Amino acid sequence: FPVTIARCLVCFFVTGVVSISVLLGLQHLPPWSVLYSLAFSEAFPMRAMGMLFGVALHEELCKAAVILWLVRRPGSILMPQTVVFYGMISGLGFGIYEGVNYQQTINRQQGVDTAYFLNVARLTALPFLHATWTGIASYFIAFASLVPKKRFGLWVIAILTPAILHGIYNICGWNILGLAVGLLS
């Protein structure tokens, strides 16, 4: 099936509005709130666990949810390339919404130079990283729909691969390892 504007809009806006709302709600409910709070720990091992299991894993699940719904609809067997494209649109919607949210909250607490740098980064490069990670997940989700016997394993790979890349990127930030993970992605 070809790419349609309607499906692109669904992927972009459902992820940007519905999935983000679910994610923000989960961050306040146990056990997710406990995992999310670890991301702000001073102890590196706890912060790393929080970034991986409390931030990256949840974000990747939320971004992939619309893609899972899309490929699971009756009669919607799509080519993997099409599913990857929809996944990237989903990730882009998430990344843009997150970037705008950061501009309205965390970036405002920074100095002018830092806020400017963060605004540019969070509205240019980071949405595309989210798009790339969701594209990776979508690739495996597409094959899971085509190979039902391997579905569960492909779903696990679909979520864990981008979650690990995302988690390492979050843990490392803007240092050389974080940038290398972004480039590798």
Side-chain angles (χ1 to χ4, degrees):
F1 293 99
V3 172
T4 66
I5 292 175
R7 285 184 182 148
C8 288
L9 292 173
V10 165
C11 290
F12 186 88
F13 287 110
V14 167
T15 301
V17 177
V18 176
S19 292
I20 292 272
S21 299
V22 168
L23 179 67
L24 294 174
L26 285 176
Q27 290 174 348
H28 298 290
L29 298 174
W32 299 282
S33 60
V34 175
L35 292 169
Y36 180 71
S37 68
L38 291 176
F40 304 99
S41 173
E42 294 294 323
F44 179 79
M46 301 306 279
R47 187 173 71 248
M49 283 184 49
M51 284 296 184
L52 182 59
F53 297 111
V55 176
L57 183 63
H58 294 145
E59 286 186 10
E60 296 309 322
L61 281 167
C62 284
K63 292 185 294 182
V66 71
I67 303 306
L68 286 165
W69 170 80
L70 188 67
V71 300
R72 302 277 298 168
R73 292 179 33 228
S76 67
I77 294 182
L78 302 169
M79 293 186 336
Q81 300 92 319
T82 305
V83 178
V84 169
F85 181 78
Y86 287 140
M88 294 183 80
I89 296 295
S90 172
L92 198 58
F94 183 96
I96 290 170
Y97 181 91
E98 185 181 59
V100 169
N101 185 43
Y102 274 120
Q103 280 190 330
Q104 295 173 346
T105 56
I106 295 171
N107 292 5
R108 286 187 177 197
Q109 300 166 2
Q110 308 301 318
V112 174
D113 291 344
T114 302
Y116 179 77
F117 173 77
L118 291 174
N119 287 342
V120 169
R122 288 187 168 135
L123 289 177
T124 57
L126 297 182
F128 289 102
L129 271 176
H130 279 288
T132 302
W133 292 325
T134 311
I136 292 169
S138 298
Y139 179 79
F140 291 105
I141 290 169
F143 280 104
S145 70
L146 296 173
V147 186
K149 290 181 181 180
K150 307 288 184 185
R151 182 174 292 149
F152 182 76
L154 288 167
W155 283 347
V156 170
I157 293 169
I159 301 305
L160 286 184
T161 301
I164 290 168
L165 291 168
H166 188 165
I168 293 170
Y169 176 82
N170 283 355
I171 292 163
C172 298
W174 289 90
N175 70 25
I176 192 72
L177 185 57
L179 294 174
V181 167
L183 198 58
L184 174 67
S185 295

